[in-house]
Amino acid sequence: MTAARGVLLCPITMGLLLQTLFFLLLLLLGSCLHPATAFPKGCYPSEEEGLKTFRCSNAQLTEVPRDIPNDTNKLYLDFNQIPFLPRNAFRDLPLLLELDLSHNTIARIETGAFQGLAEHLHSLDLSSNRLVSVSKDTFSNLKAKVNLSNNPWLCDCRLQELIQAVELAADSSGGIVCDSSTQEEHVGKAFLQVIADTDFCNVYKKTTDIAMLVTMFGWFAMVISYLVYYVRQNQEDARRHLEYLKSLPSKQRRSEESSTISTVV
């Protein structure tokens, strides 16, 4: 009886042991797979041409995701609704080579948004966004080829400085068109075509110099006007006083006249 009971318990014990091992294996696999489930919906990692790639194309993102693997070489954030790039948006991606931010709604980029990418990044696509004006300091020390086409640019000295500070991607310069301009006749024209004939920064400098000259002339005119008014007022007061003295008796008048003359002198 005892031997038979032992024979029955052995398979049960083995079954429980196998179940325990199976659950432990599931837990282990779950912990290993957990980081992948932290990716935003529509984003996934892959490998393309031997480079670690992270794709979030058309994922309805409204900001740069935070859970991007820090060994990513190529990052695609195109066709989303990202409106703004904050400072240090990509600081945890030191190995990034290519960054595609095209077809978003980016209207503002903080200085330092690309901080940490200067050494490796060689391609930056910002085409088809809503950029109107961007400081050249935004791309400070960045060696990447930048695509700035198809944005509603304001053509002015600031854009001229930006274009001179970056290296434009091949065949993208023709897409940088003046949506607005400090000079109306430039609207609708390619910016590089415009600056071939117009130096926006030189025009701005001349305008500033003229404004300063006008301001200085205004102050100078005010000072001269005050001095003229002061002299005329003083002369008028002296004339009135002399007329008053003439109406006085002669002896008192002479003493008052000498006092008045000495005062005027």
Side-chain angles (χ1 to χ4, degrees):
M1 185 73 177
T2 304
R5 193 176 292 175
V7 172
L8 290 171
L9 289 174
C10 187
I12 295 173
T13 304
M14 289 297 295
L16 290 173
L17 182 60
L18 288 173
Q19 285 183 354
T20 303
L21 289 173
F22 178 73
F23 283 122
L24 286 173
L25 182 61
L26 286 178
L27 288 172
L28 182 61
L29 288 172
S31 64
C32 291
L33 294 174
H34 178 70
T37 61
F39 296 149
K41 184 179 179 181
C43 299
Y44 61 92
S46 64
E47 190 165 321
E48 300 177 6
E49 300 176 351
L51 297 174
K52 293 187 177 181
T53 303
F54 194 74
R55 285 192 175 273
C56 288
S57 303
N58 201 18
Q60 299 182 349
L61 299 176
T62 56
E63 63 180 1
V64 177
R66 299 178 183 177
D67 300 313
I68 302 172
N70 56 16
D71 59 350
T72 297
N73 303 128
K74 299 170 70 175
L75 176 59
Y76 292 88
L77 298 173
D78 51 319
F79 290 95
N80 286 288
Q81 291 92 45
I82 300 172
F84 165 64
L85 296 180
R87 183 178 177 85
N88 294 320
F90 307 98
R91 65 179 178 182
D92 296 324
L93 303 172
L95 303 180
L96 199 61
L97 301 173
E98 296 181 20
L99 176 58
D100 189 347
L101 289 160
S102 63
H103 297 90
N104 276 277
T105 60
I106 300 170
R108 187 163 68 92
I109 305 175
E110 270 193 359
T111 302
F114 304 111
Q115 191 169 341
L117 302 181
E119 291 185 11
H120 298 284
L121 193 70
H122 62 71
S123 176
L124 173 60
D125 194 344
L126 286 164
S127 63
S128 300
N129 278 282
R130 297 180 183 175
L131 296 172
V132 175
S133 183
V134 179
S135 169
K136 65 178 181 178
D137 297 332
T138 302
F139 302 94
S140 180
N141 300 320
L142 205 62
K143 299 174 183 177
K145 294 181 179 180
V146 185
N147 188 343
L148 298 171
S149 61
N150 299 320
N151 282 280
W153 291 110
L154 166 63
C155 291
D156 60 358
C157 180
R158 202 177 193 201
L159 180 59
Q160 182 173 323
E161 290 178 339
L162 172 63
I163 297 301
Q164 292 171 347
V166 301
E167 182 179 356
L168 296 177
D171 302 323
S172 69
S173 59
I176 304 174
V177 177
C178 301
D179 187 72
S180 58
S181 175
T182 52
Q183 299 181 33
E184 192 66 28
E185 65 270 19
H186 297 147
V187 175
K189 296 182 180 179
F191 184 68
L192 292 190
Q193 175 189 345
V194 170
I195 60 175
D197 302 317
T198 304
D199 187 340
F200 284 94
C201 295
N202 191 39
V203 170
Y204 174 78
K205 186 177 183 300
K206 286 182 179 178
T207 304
T208 304
D209 290 344
I210 291 171
M212 288 182 65
L213 285 173
V214 170
T215 303
M216 290 175 65
F217 178 78
W219 279 105
F220 182 74
M222 287 176 62
V223 171
I224 295 299
S225 298
Y226 176 77
L227 289 174
V228 170
Y229 170 79
Y230 177 80
V231 170
R232 286 182 177 178
Q233 188 66 31
N234 202 29
Q235 288 177 342
E236 183 66 22
D237 290 343
R239 184 184 64 79
R240 289 175 181 175
H241 192 63
L242 287 173
E243 288 179 355
Y244 166 73
L245 293 177
K246 289 178 181 179
S247 65
L248 295 176
S250 58
K251 187 174 182 180
Q252 182 181 356
R253 183 175 58 200
R254 280 195 297 272
S255 63
E256 289 286 345
E257 282 178 356
S258 61
S259 176
T260 300
I261 293 170
S262 63
T263 301
V264 172
V265 173

